[in-house]
């Protein structure tokens, strides 16, 4: 497994602010990139800034929020079944936005 860290490689919707870099996670099996995982994995992020925040994923050209659990000490976790770019964001735009969604993630 490898990761690429980039401060802001994908455009964020208006009103969103990241609390760190975007992590682009990849895994390979016999040299072939895999994105769908056979079993869920848990992503964990520590956020030192105490503001409402959530984990977001970039799929099919748009950011999507991921159901996120938070603790009082600034830890965020989310269970995912695929690898793709992830980040922590402080805000979600209104439901009328065309570049984001809080609907279930694709596939």
């Amino acid at each position: 497994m490898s990761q690429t860290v980039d401060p802001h490689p994908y455009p964020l919707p208006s009103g969103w602010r990241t609390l760190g870099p975007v992590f682009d996670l990849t895994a390979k099996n016999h040299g072939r990139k895999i994105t769908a995982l056979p079993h869920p994995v848990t992503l964990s992020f520590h956020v030192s800034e105490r503001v409402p925040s959530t984990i977001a994923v970039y799929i099919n050209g748009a950011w999507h929020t991921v159901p996120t659990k938070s603790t009082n000490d600034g830890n965020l976790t989310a269970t995912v079944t695929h690898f793709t770019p992830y980040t922590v964001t402080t805000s979600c735009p209104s439901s009328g936005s065309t570049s984001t969604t809080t609907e279930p993630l694709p596939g």
Side-chain angles (χ1 to χ4, degrees), residues 64-83:
H64 305 265
T65 58
V66 176
T68 303
K69 294 180 183 178
S70 61
T71 62
N72 290 335
D73 60 353
N75 292 313
L76 300 176
T77 60
T79 301
V80 299
T81 57
H82 53 86
F83 283 157

Side-chain angles (χ1 to χ4, degrees), residues 26-96:
T26 58
K28 292 186 178 184
N29 184 13
H30 301 290
R32 293 173 43 190
K33 183 178 177 179
I34 58 173
T35 56
L37 303 173
H39 304 285
V41 297
T42 301
L43 299 177
S44 296
F45 295 91
H46 180 76
V47 180
S48 58
E49 189 174 336
R50 299 292 192 260
V51 294
S53 53
T54 190
I55 296 173
V57 58
Y58 192 78
I59 299 176
N60 297 331
W63 284 101
H64 305 265
T65 58
V66 176
T68 303
K69 294 180 183 178
S70 61
T71 62
N72 290 335
D73 60 353
N75 292 313
L76 300 176
T77 60
T79 301
V80 299
T81 57
H82 53 86
F83 283 157
T84 191
Y86 290 92
T87 194
V88 175
T89 182
T90 60
S91 181
C92 297
S94 67
S95 60

Side-chain angles (χ1 to χ4, degrees), residues 11-12 14 17 20 25 32 34 38 43 62 77 83 89 97 100-101 104:
L12 292 169
S14 176
R17 182 173 63 91
L25 304 174
R32 293 173 43 190
I34 58 173
L43 299 177
T77 60
F83 283 157
T89 182
S97 172
T100 62
T101 183

